[in-house]
PDB file of all heavy atoms in Angstrom:
ATOM      1  N   LEU A 334      -4.677   8.011   6.442  1.00  0.00           N
ATOM      2  CA  LEU A 334      -5.508   9.219   6.516  1.00  0.00           C
ATOM      3  C   LEU A 334      -5.232   9.959   7.828  1.00  0.00           C
ATOM      4  O   LEU A 334      -5.181  11.190   7.846  1.00  0.00           O
ATOM      5  CB  LEU A 334      -6.987   8.864   6.384  1.00  0.00           C
ATOM      6  CG  LEU A 334      -7.448   8.583   4.966  1.00  0.00           C
ATOM      7  CD1 LEU A 334      -8.813   7.891   4.961  1.00  0.00           C
ATOM      8  CD2 LEU A 334      -7.503   9.860   4.143  1.00  0.00           C
ATOM      9  N   GLY A 335      -5.040   9.219   8.912  1.00  0.00           N
ATOM     10  CA  GLY A 335      -4.656   9.858  10.171  1.00  0.00           C
ATOM     11  C   GLY A 335      -3.358  10.625  10.036  1.00  0.00           C
ATOM     12  O   GLY A 335      -3.231  11.764  10.508  1.00  0.00           O
ATOM     13  N   VAL A 337      -2.131  11.960   7.272  1.00  0.00           N
ATOM     14  CA  VAL A 337      -2.361  13.154   6.444  1.00  0.00           C
ATOM     15  C   VAL A 337      -3.009  14.243   7.280  1.00  0.00           C
ATOM     16  O   VAL A 337      -2.573  15.409   7.264  1.00  0.00           O
ATOM     17  CB  VAL A 337      -3.214  12.823   5.201  1.00  0.00           C
ATOM     18  CG1 VAL A 337      -3.627  14.110   4.475  1.00  0.00           C
ATOM     19  CG2 VAL A 337      -2.435  11.916   4.244  1.00  0.00           C
ATOM     20  N   TYR A 338      -4.058  13.883   8.014  1.00  0.00           N
ATOM     21  CA  TYR A 338      -4.759  14.909   8.791  1.00  0.00           C
ATOM     22  C   TYR A 338      -3.913  15.427   9.952  1.00  0.00           C
ATOM     23  O   TYR A 338      -4.004  16.601  10.303  1.00  0.00           O
ATOM     24  CB  TYR A 338      -6.128  14.398   9.260  1.00  0.00           C
ATOM     25  CG  TYR A 338      -7.106  14.405   8.120  1.00  0.00           C
ATOM     26  CD1 TYR A 338      -7.610  13.213   7.601  1.00  0.00           C
ATOM     27  CD2 TYR A 338      -7.506  15.590   7.509  1.00  0.00           C
ATOM     28  CE1 TYR A 338      -8.488  13.217   6.524  1.00  0.00           C
ATOM     29  CE2 TYR A 338      -8.374  15.607   6.426  1.00  0.00           C
ATOM     30  CZ  TYR A 338      -8.861  14.412   5.950  1.00  0.00           C
ATOM     31  OH  TYR A 338      -9.720  14.429   4.883  1.00  0.00           O
ATOM     32  N   GLU A 339      -3.059  14.580  10.495  1.00  0.00           N
ATOM     33  CA  GLU A 339      -2.119  15.079  11.508  1.00  0.00           C
ATOM     34  C   GLU A 339      -1.157  16.096  10.872  1.00  0.00           C
ATOM     35  O   GLU A 339      -0.886  17.138  11.450  1.00  0.00           O
ATOM     36  CB  GLU A 339      -1.346  13.922  12.140  1.00  0.00           C
ATOM     37  CG  GLU A 339      -0.412  14.372  13.259  1.00  0.00           C
ATOM     38  CD  GLU A 339       0.259  13.229  13.983  1.00  0.00           C
ATOM     39  OE1 GLU A 339       0.069  12.053  13.624  1.00  0.00           O
ATOM     40  OE2 GLU A 339       1.005  13.529  14.945  1.00  0.00           O
ATOM     41  N   HIS A 340      -0.677  15.783   9.692  1.00  0.00           N
ATOM     42  CA  HIS A 340       0.226  16.692   8.970  1.00  0.00           C
ATOM     43  C   HIS A 340      -0.472  18.030   8.703  1.00  0.00           C
ATOM     44  O   HIS A 340       0.156  19.076   8.738  1.00  0.00           O
ATOM     45  CB  HIS A 340       0.675  16.051   7.657  1.00  0.00           C
ATOM     46  CG  HIS A 340       1.530  16.926   6.800  1.00  0.00           C
ATOM     47  ND1 HIS A 340       2.865  17.112   7.057  1.00  0.00           N
ATOM     48  CD2 HIS A 340       1.237  17.669   5.697  1.00  0.00           C
ATOM     49  CE1 HIS A 340       3.355  17.942   6.140  1.00  0.00           C
ATOM     50  NE2 HIS A 340       2.387  18.291   5.314  1.00  0.00           N
ATOM     51  N   LYS A 341      -1.781  17.972   8.439  1.00  0.00           N
ATOM     52  CA  LYS A 341      -2.563  19.189   8.148  1.00  0.00           C
ATOM     53  C   LYS A 341      -3.050  19.862   9.432  1.00  0.00           C
ATOM     54  O   LYS A 341      -3.792  20.844   9.373  1.00  0.00           O
ATOM     55  CB  LYS A 341      -3.761  18.829   7.273  1.00  0.00           C
ATOM     56  CG  LYS A 341      -3.389  18.317   5.891  1.00  0.00           C
ATOM     57  CD  LYS A 341      -4.537  17.685   5.138  1.00  0.00           C
ATOM     58  CE  LYS A 341      -5.501  18.646   4.562  1.00  0.00           C
ATOM     59  NZ  LYS A 341      -5.067  19.519   3.515  1.00  0.00           N
ATOM     60  N   CYS A 342      -2.656  19.332  10.593  1.00  0.00           N
ATOM     61  CA  CYS A 342      -3.026  19.864  11.919  1.00  0.00           C
ATOM     62  C   CYS A 342      -4.528  19.791  12.187  1.00  0.00           C
ATOM     63  O   CYS A 342      -5.060  20.582  12.961  1.00  0.00           O
ATOM     64  CB  CYS A 342      -2.506  21.279  12.106  1.00  0.00           C
ATOM     65  SG  CYS A 342      -0.725  21.412  11.953  1.00  0.00           S
ATOM     66  N   ASP A 343      -5.195  18.850  11.570  1.00  0.00           N
ATOM     67  CA  ASP A 343      -6.605  18.597  11.852  1.00  0.00           C
ATOM     68  C   ASP A 343      -6.644  17.432  12.842  1.00  0.00           C
ATOM     69  O   ASP A 343      -6.829  16.287  12.473  1.00  0.00           O
ATOM     70  CB  ASP A 343      -7.376  18.278  10.574  1.00  0.00           C
ATOM     71  CG  ASP A 343      -8.875  18.205  10.783  1.00  0.00           C
ATOM     72  OD1 ASP A 343      -9.323  17.938  11.931  1.00  0.00           O
ATOM     73  OD2 ASP A 343      -9.609  18.399   9.786  1.00  0.00           O
ATOM     74  N   TRP A 344      -6.460  17.766  14.109  1.00  0.00           N
ATOM     75  CA  TRP A 344      -6.274  16.761  15.159  1.00  0.00           C
ATOM     76  C   TRP A 344      -7.520  15.858  15.315  1.00  0.00           C
ATOM     77  O   TRP A 344      -7.397  14.660  15.557  1.00  0.00           O
ATOM     78  CB  TRP A 344      -5.952  17.398  16.499  1.00  0.00           C
ATOM     79  CG  TRP A 344      -4.943  18.503  16.445  1.00  0.00           C
ATOM     80  CD1 TRP A 344      -5.065  19.736  17.017  1.00  0.00           C
ATOM     81  CD2 TRP A 344      -3.648  18.515  15.827  1.00  0.00           C
ATOM     82  NE1 TRP A 344      -3.955  20.502  16.785  1.00  0.00           N
ATOM     83  CE2 TRP A 344      -3.054  19.784  16.046  1.00  0.00           C
ATOM     84  CE3 TRP A 344      -2.920  17.569  15.081  1.00  0.00           C
ATOM     85  CZ2 TRP A 344      -1.803  20.121  15.583  1.00  0.00           C
ATOM     86  CZ3 TRP A 344      -1.665  17.924  14.609  1.00  0.00           C
ATOM     87  CH2 TRP A 344      -1.120  19.177  14.858  1.00  0.00           C
ATOM     88  N   GLN A 345      -8.701  16.433  15.173  1.00  0.00           N
ATOM     89  CA  GLN A 345      -9.927  15.670  15.353  1.00  0.00           C
ATOM     90  C   GLN A 345     -10.056  14.567  14.293  1.00  0.00           C
ATOM     91  O   GLN A 345     -10.342  13.416  14.603  1.00  0.00           O
ATOM     92  CB  GLN A 345     -11.140  16.612  15.311  1.00  0.00           C
ATOM     93  CG  GLN A 345     -12.398  16.001  15.882  1.00  0.00           C
ATOM     94  CD  GLN A 345     -12.299  15.738  17.381  1.00  0.00           C
ATOM     95  OE1 GLN A 345     -11.771  16.544  18.137  1.00  0.00           O
ATOM     96  NE2 GLN A 345     -12.783  14.576  17.804  1.00  0.00           N
ATOM     97  N   LYS A 346      -9.844  14.956  13.025  1.00  0.00           N
ATOM     98  CA  LYS A 346      -9.932  13.949  11.951  1.00  0.00           C
ATOM     99  C   LYS A 346      -8.798  12.924  12.088  1.00  0.00           C
ATOM    100  O   LYS A 346      -9.007  11.734  11.865  1.00  0.00           O
ATOM    101  CB  LYS A 346      -9.884  14.613  10.580  1.00  0.00           C
ATOM    102  CG  LYS A 346     -11.205  15.175  10.140  1.00  0.00           C
ATOM    103  CD  LYS A 346     -11.117  15.656   8.703  1.00  0.00           C
ATOM    104  CE  LYS A 346     -12.439  16.234   8.251  1.00  0.00           C
ATOM    105  NZ  LYS A 346     -12.343  16.787   6.891  1.00  0.00           N
ATOM    106  N   ALA A 347      -7.611  13.406  12.427  1.00  0.00           N
ATOM    107  CA  ALA A 347      -6.484  12.481  12.583  1.00  0.00           C
ATOM    108  C   ALA A 347      -6.803  11.440  13.661  1.00  0.00           C
ATOM    109  O   ALA A 347      -6.594  10.237  13.462  1.00  0.00           O
ATOM    110  CB  ALA A 347      -5.211  13.252  12.939  1.00  0.00           C
ATOM    111  N   LYS A 348      -7.326  11.903  14.794  1.00  0.00           N
ATOM    112  CA  LYS A 348      -7.675  10.991  15.877  1.00  0.00           C
ATOM    113  C   LYS A 348      -8.719   9.969  15.424  1.00  0.00           C
ATOM    114  O   LYS A 348      -8.613   8.773  15.709  1.00  0.00           O
ATOM    115  CB  LYS A 348      -8.204  11.764  17.087  1.00  0.00           C
ATOM    116  CG  LYS A 348      -8.584  10.899  18.259  1.00  0.00           C
ATOM    117  CD  LYS A 348      -9.162  11.732  19.381  1.00  0.00           C
ATOM    118  CE  LYS A 348      -9.750  10.820  20.441  1.00  0.00           C
ATOM    119  NZ  LYS A 348     -10.708  11.523  21.286  1.00  0.00           N
ATOM    120  N   LYS A 349      -9.713  10.451  14.682  1.00  0.00           N
ATOM    121  CA  LYS A 349     -10.770   9.565  14.187  1.00  0.00           C
ATOM    122  C   LYS A 349     -10.192   8.433  13.329  1.00  0.00           C
ATOM    123  O   LYS A 349     -10.526   7.268  13.505  1.00  0.00           O
ATOM    124  CB  LYS A 349     -11.776  10.389  13.362  1.00  0.00           C
ATOM    125  CG  LYS A 349     -12.791   9.570  12.609  1.00  0.00           C
ATOM    126  CD  LYS A 349     -13.623  10.466  11.701  1.00  0.00           C
ATOM    127  CE  LYS A 349     -14.041   9.719  10.459  1.00  0.00           C
ATOM    128  NZ  LYS A 349     -14.674  10.564   9.467  1.00  0.00           N
ATOM    129  N   TYR A 350      -9.300   8.785  12.407  1.00  0.00           N
ATOM    130  CA  TYR A 350      -8.752   7.772  11.511  1.00  0.00           C
ATOM    131  C   TYR A 350      -7.760   6.849  12.213  1.00  0.00           C
ATOM    132  O   TYR A 350      -7.753   5.637  11.960  1.00  0.00           O
ATOM    133  CB  TYR A 350      -8.136   8.426  10.261  1.00  0.00           C
ATOM    134  CG  TYR A 350      -9.221   8.894   9.311  1.00  0.00           C
ATOM    135  CD1 TYR A 350      -9.413  10.249   9.072  1.00  0.00           C
ATOM    136  CD2 TYR A 350     -10.050   7.986   8.678  1.00  0.00           C
ATOM    137  CE1 TYR A 350     -10.408  10.680   8.214  1.00  0.00           C
ATOM    138  CE2 TYR A 350     -11.048   8.407   7.813  1.00  0.00           C
ATOM    139  CZ  TYR A 350     -11.229   9.755   7.579  1.00  0.00           C
ATOM    140  OH  TYR A 350     -12.227  10.165   6.728  1.00  0.00           O
ATOM    141  N   TYR A 351      -6.949   7.403  13.116  1.00  0.00           N
ATOM    142  CA  TYR A 351      -6.065   6.531  13.897  1.00  0.00           C
ATOM    143  C   TYR A 351      -6.886   5.546  14.709  1.00  0.00           C
ATOM    144  O   TYR A 351      -6.562   4.362  14.807  1.00  0.00           O
ATOM    145  CB  TYR A 351      -5.166   7.351  14.824  1.00  0.00           C
ATOM    146  CG  TYR A 351      -4.030   8.067  14.145  1.00  0.00           C
ATOM    147  CD1 TYR A 351      -3.681   9.367  14.535  1.00  0.00           C
ATOM    148  CD2 TYR A 351      -3.257   7.469  13.146  1.00  0.00           C
ATOM    149  CE1 TYR A 351      -2.635  10.044  13.954  1.00  0.00           C
ATOM    150  CE2 TYR A 351      -2.205   8.144  12.545  1.00  0.00           C
ATOM    151  CZ  TYR A 351      -1.890   9.433  12.955  1.00  0.00           C
ATOM    152  OH  TYR A 351      -0.834  10.099  12.375  1.00  0.00           O
ATOM    153  N   MET A 371      -2.967  12.545  19.389  1.00  0.00           N
ATOM    154  CA  MET A 371      -4.104  13.398  19.084  1.00  0.00           C
ATOM    155  C   MET A 371      -4.896  13.742  20.332  1.00  0.00           C
ATOM    156  O   MET A 371      -5.362  14.878  20.471  1.00  0.00           O
ATOM    157  CB  MET A 371      -5.002  12.748  18.036  1.00  0.00           C
ATOM    158  CG  MET A 371      -4.341  12.574  16.667  1.00  0.00           C
ATOM    159  SD  MET A 371      -3.553  14.058  16.019  1.00  0.00           S
ATOM    160  CE  MET A 371      -1.835  13.785  16.449  1.00  0.00           C
ATOM    161  N   ARG A 374      -3.027  16.540  21.868  1.00  0.00           N
ATOM    162  CA  ARG A 374      -3.214  17.783  21.103  1.00  0.00           C
ATOM    163  C   ARG A 374      -4.565  18.413  21.389  1.00  0.00           C
ATOM    164  O   ARG A 374      -4.706  19.634  21.384  1.00  0.00           O
ATOM    165  CB  ARG A 374      -3.112  17.512  19.606  1.00  0.00           C
ATOM    166  CG  ARG A 374      -1.741  17.141  19.127  1.00  0.00           C
ATOM    167  CD  ARG A 374      -0.970  18.373  18.858  1.00  0.00           C
ATOM    168  NE  ARG A 374       0.273  18.052  18.203  1.00  0.00           N
ATOM    169  CZ  ARG A 374       1.187  18.949  17.959  1.00  0.00           C
ATOM    170  NH1 ARG A 374       0.983  20.212  18.304  1.00  0.00           N
ATOM    171  NH2 ARG A 374       2.295  18.602  17.373  1.00  0.00           N
ATOM    172  N   LEU A 375      -5.573  17.572  21.584  1.00  0.00           N
ATOM    173  CA  LEU A 375      -6.934  18.049  21.786  1.00  0.00           C
ATOM    174  C   LEU A 375      -7.215  18.509  23.210  1.00  0.00           C
ATOM    175  O   LEU A 375      -8.210  19.152  23.475  1.00  0.00           O
ATOM    176  CB  LEU A 375      -7.950  16.996  21.358  1.00  0.00           C
ATOM    177  CG  LEU A 375      -7.992  16.744  19.854  1.00  0.00           C
ATOM    178  CD1 LEU A 375      -8.739  15.467  19.522  1.00  0.00           C
ATOM    179  CD2 LEU A 375      -8.626  17.938  19.133  1.00  0.00           C
TER     180      LEU A 375
END
Side-chain angles (χ1 to χ4, degrees):
L334 282 165
V337 171
Y338 284 113
E339 183 175 3
H340 177 79
K341 295 168 76 66
C342 301
D343 188 336
W344 316 131
Q345 197 66 41
K346 279 187 180 176
K348 180 183 171 200
K349 171 187 148 188
Y350 285 113
Y351 285 140
M371 295 310 99
R374 291 274 189 186
L375 291 165

